[in-house]
Amino acid sequence: ALRPAAAAPTVTAPAPSGALTTPAAPAPESPIPALVTPEPDMADAPVPALVAPATAAPATVAENACLPSLRLAAAPHAMIGVSLVAPCAPQTRVVIGHAGLAITGKTDAAGSLFLSLPALAVDARISARLPDGTTIDQQVRVPAMATLRRMGVQWQDDDAFQLHAFENGAGYGDAGHIWADAPQTPKTGLAAGGAGGIPAGFITVLGDADVDMPMRAEIYTFPAGLATNAEIVIESAVTEATCGRELLGETLMTLAGETFVSELTLAMPDCDAVGDILVLKNLVTDLTIAAAN
């Protein structure tokens, strides 16, 4: 904090050596005689320090310039525009968190990261964590979330899962089959309407895989009344990276304004089954029962 510099003491210079000193005239008569303090020996007097005006230290200025900032903006279909600016963290792994969801992102050469995130709550709080432990968060209100439901799966590194939604009795490859390779979008899905006049949902693929320990997710968004018209399954392919071990992940589901997160454990077959695909069904029903309990 800046503080006013102390007033420098008044210094009286001694008479030059060898000079004649005229005795002082006697003071006029006064009821109270004046007290005269003998002049101190200036050779022993302390030299007053010069106090420079306080200024911000260069290190503090640099630290302030490096402080990251986070901005959020509510978008149609209960999406959130996320803008992270971290000037001193270019090409850096970032963990974005929201209501149990955690995904990785990567800043660009200028230290910026922009992404679109599905809201999992009406009052949505988003956080961003940098590798040095710096964490910032902001909150935004997303009223449209009240009319939608979301179901998702998230995982780390090679423990890969895939979300599939089959709307209105669709099969694999049909128009109502929504997955990462045919995700639909809010524009072509909810806005345009799906088969049978029922609005279609859409899948959002999240997470940057080109970082250390990537954290990824897939979120399926659908109108609240569509739950009985869509079958949602989670698949996991048996690969050289996943065979013969246990995969760990989490499922996320919004229900009545809350987000429920459940552990997902899947024992993969031996490596002679590479190429096979394991399928988990009845997820919405099972998670709804679990949430009710």
Side-chain angles (χ1 to χ4, degrees):
L2 299 179
R3 65 176 185 275
T10 302
V11 178
T12 303
S17 176
L20 297 177
T21 304
T22 303
E29 292 186 2
S30 171
I32 301 176
L35 298 178
V36 178
T37 303
E39 189 174 354
D41 185 352
M42 296 311 296
D44 298 327
V47 178
L50 298 178
V51 180
T55 57
T60 303
V61 174
E63 289 173 3
N64 290 339
C66 283
L67 289 177
S69 64
L70 181 67
R71 284 187 168 188
L72 309 177
H77 309 296
M79 300 296 288
I80 302 172
V82 180
S83 301
L84 172 68
V85 178
C88 297
Q91 304 292 342
T92 299
R93 179 183 186 269
V94 180
V95 177
I96 303 294
H98 167 48
L101 174 69
I103 60 169
T104 48
K106 186 177 181 180
T107 59
D108 60 20
S112 300
L113 173 64
F114 306 100
L115 56 88
S116 183
L117 198 68
L120 299 177
V122 172
D123 292 311
R125 180 166 292 278
I126 311 295
S127 67
R129 187 173 74 249
L130 298 173
D132 65 0
T134 300
T135 302
I136 55 176
D137 59 21
Q138 292 289 345
Q139 184 168 315
V140 64
R141 187 165 181 81
V142 190
M145 184 59 218
T147 65
L148 301 173
R149 289 189 62 185
R150 286 186 159 128
M151 167 74 196
V153 59
Q154 63 182 2
W155 66 93
Q156 293 187 31
D157 210 9
D158 292 327
D159 291 0
F161 295 93
Q162 199 167 64
L163 195 64
H164 294 258
F166 300 92
E167 296 180 356
N168 306 310
Y172 281 91
D174 292 345
H177 176 206
I178 301 175
W179 62 303
D181 285 358
Q184 299 293 331
T185 66
K187 183 177 180 180
T188 59
L190 291 179
I198 299 175
F202 62 93
I203 281 182
T204 308
V205 179
L206 301 165
D208 192 322
D210 296 328
V211 297
D212 292 335
M213 286 298 296
M215 305 167 71
R216 293 177 287 167
E218 295 181 2
I219 305 290
Y220 172 55
T221 300
F222 54 100
L226 187 61
T228 57
N229 298 87
E231 180 184 11
I232 303 172
V233 304
I234 291 177
E235 296 183 353
S236 185
V238 183
T239 66
E240 295 291 345
T242 63
C243 62
R245 65 182 185 87
E246 193 172 69
L247 303 189
L248 301 176
E250 289 180 331
T251 58
L252 305 97
M253 185 187 70
T254 62
L255 181 64
E258 293 187 62
T259 300
F260 297 88
V261 181
S262 303
E263 292 185 356
L264 176 61
T265 303
L266 185 60
M268 300 298 283
D270 294 336
C271 292
D272 56 3
V274 168
D276 291 350
I277 296 176
L278 274 63
V279 180
L280 302 175
K281 296 185 176 183
N282 302 317
L283 292 172
V284 171
T285 301
D286 293 344
L287 290 174
T288 301
I289 293 173
N293 294 330

